[in-house]
Amino acid sequence: MARHPDTIITPNTLLARARQRLASPQRPGQHLSRAELADAINAALDRLYPGRSLTAHYVDHRWVGKLERGEHRWPSHERRTATRQVLGAATDADLGLYSPRRTEGQAISDRQQVTAAWFGKLPGALAQLPGPWTSGSELQAPAKIESPHVEALKRSITLFEEWDHQHGGGLARAAMAGQLEWACRVARQASATEAARRTWLSTAARLADLAGWACFDSGDRPSTAQRYLVMAIQMASEAEDVQQRAHTATTLSRHLTYVGQVSDALNVIGLVHSDWRKIPPLGRAAVRIVEARAYARSHDGAACMRAVALCDEEFAASGLDGPENPVWGYYADVGQILGDAGHALFDVAVTTDKHQQADKLLNRLQSAYSYHPTEAARSRALTMIRIAYLQIRNGNFAGGLNSIQAGLADARGVHSSRLRDDLLALGSILANAKPESNLAGELEAARAHVGEAVRSQI
């Protein structure tokens, strides 16, 4: 009988390469040893969890060896967090770490659920919402869906979107969940003309898309975010809203890529391509962005850069109508296109030593930052923190310190697990930086400030 794939031990080359990209602090010209990595992880544990007894979590070179040989793939939460910080990784998947409980059968089941929702065939009641925020009570629905109800729902979604851009998903997702619970009950209980029902479902799909995004941004359980997004696809399909369905597919693909399910992310985007002729150039640009991010996460640099080039072509063809597009208008902002695709290229740049590519990426991200409006605090913080990372990595410590200061100013008041992950990566590269002696004090202060910002995100 063939062995189940989860029982086959394969070397963890991602983690080994991440270690070997770091220089040894004691042996000039050599890479970080397993023992040195273990020491750095233990030091990170002390920084991340002050006041806790961490004896059970401390590691040694033999533990690192087991990880690199693939004998162990899912350390404790504390060890994973410290290892990501030391190695500058945004996610566990970047280091080849995953839970063996996520079986192939479960992934296929999730994929089938997405496909069923795509065709409006998802079983079960929409009122059965995920997450801990819903009441479970019978909220009163209007007898009939009419135009004022739709307009009120749209206004609340606009407010939620503003909160999300300014403060991240953490502070608003509970309110979104409550509003969505009511919207789903209205969809199932109130009478309406066929046109009014489709409009209501389409608007509710937009809200479910936003709720799923907020859960993803907040670092909630992946299954919670995914259930909201699958629900959004289902409602958009029932409403025959091709654009909203495609938009939610891009959100779901981002989420799946971030948690390391890259093949599933690309499969979701494959569904979007079945409607390609119905999607405007601006929407196609957004699709190319998420393709680029999936390719980058799978370390396919050539495919990532091709997708970014196609994104830029589609955006150039989108014309002047983009800002008025009710679904895709967010991407009409040139800063969003420059920055979002730039984040995909960032994942490629940090795994190579090609400084020319890094310089081009820096220019792209700096241009994106100049276009980000002040109220888009999370986008500004994410972009500037990555600019700082690249500058420190390339030895531009003075520029990097200025960028850190700007990025941390933007990060105040933002609560986002994605921002926390980027701050952890920045903290890791700062820990290994060797600046000129006149900048050593400033660098040490920057390390402390980044650490404080990380703790404020939790």
Side-chain angles (χ1 to χ4, degrees), residues 22 111 121 132 137 161 196 219 224 244 263 273 296 328 358 367 380:
L22 296 181
R111 191 179 301 174
K121 302 295 185 183
S137 64
E161 288 172 339
T224 301
Q244 181 59 55
S263 63
H273 280 281
W328 304 106
S367 294
R380 289 171 64 86

Side-chain angles (χ1 to χ4, degrees), residues 163-241:
W163 288 357
D164 174 68
H165 295 323
Q166 284 188 279
H167 305 296
L171 297 181
R173 69 198 193 282
M176 296 176 194
Q179 185 79 3
L180 180 60
E181 180 181 18
W182 177 77
C184 289
R185 293 189 185 279
V186 170
R188 292 300 178 242
Q189 296 174 9
S191 65
T193 65
E194 188 59 32
R197 185 173 299 282
R198 283 200 300 269
T199 301
W200 184 264
L201 284 169
S202 177
T203 307
R206 178 180 169 189
L207 177 56
D209 186 340
L210 182 59
W213 166 261
C215 291
F216 161 39
D217 185 60
S218 303
D220 290 323
R221 289 186 302 175
S223 60
T224 301
Q226 183 167 329
R227 284 173 63 196
Y228 275 117
L229 296 173
V230 170
M231 180 191 302
I233 291 174
Q234 167 72 20
M235 287 191 288
S237 297
E238 289 187 46
E240 300 178 3
D241 188 340

Side-chain angles (χ1 to χ4, degrees), residues 52 90 105 131 148-150 153 163 190 193 207 214 316 338 371:
R52 279 184 54 181
H149 299 121
V150 176
L153 184 58
W163 288 357
T193 65
L207 177 56
L338 285 169
Y371 283 105

Side-chain angles (χ1 to χ4, degrees), residues 243-266:
Q243 305 305 320
Q244 181 59 55
R245 184 173 66 178
H247 184 281
T248 304
T250 66
T251 308
L252 178 56
S253 182
R254 288 172 187 269
H255 159 72
L256 291 169
T257 294
Y258 207 84
V259 299
Q261 295 177 245
V262 176
S263 63
D264 288 335
L266 290 172

Side-chain angles (χ1 to χ4, degrees), residues 3 7 91 125 140 202 211 249 277 287 310 339 351 457:
R3 298 177 66 188
T7 69
T91 68
Q140 186 174 359
S202 177
R277 293 182 180 180
V287 173
L310 289 170
T351 60
Q457 297 298 312

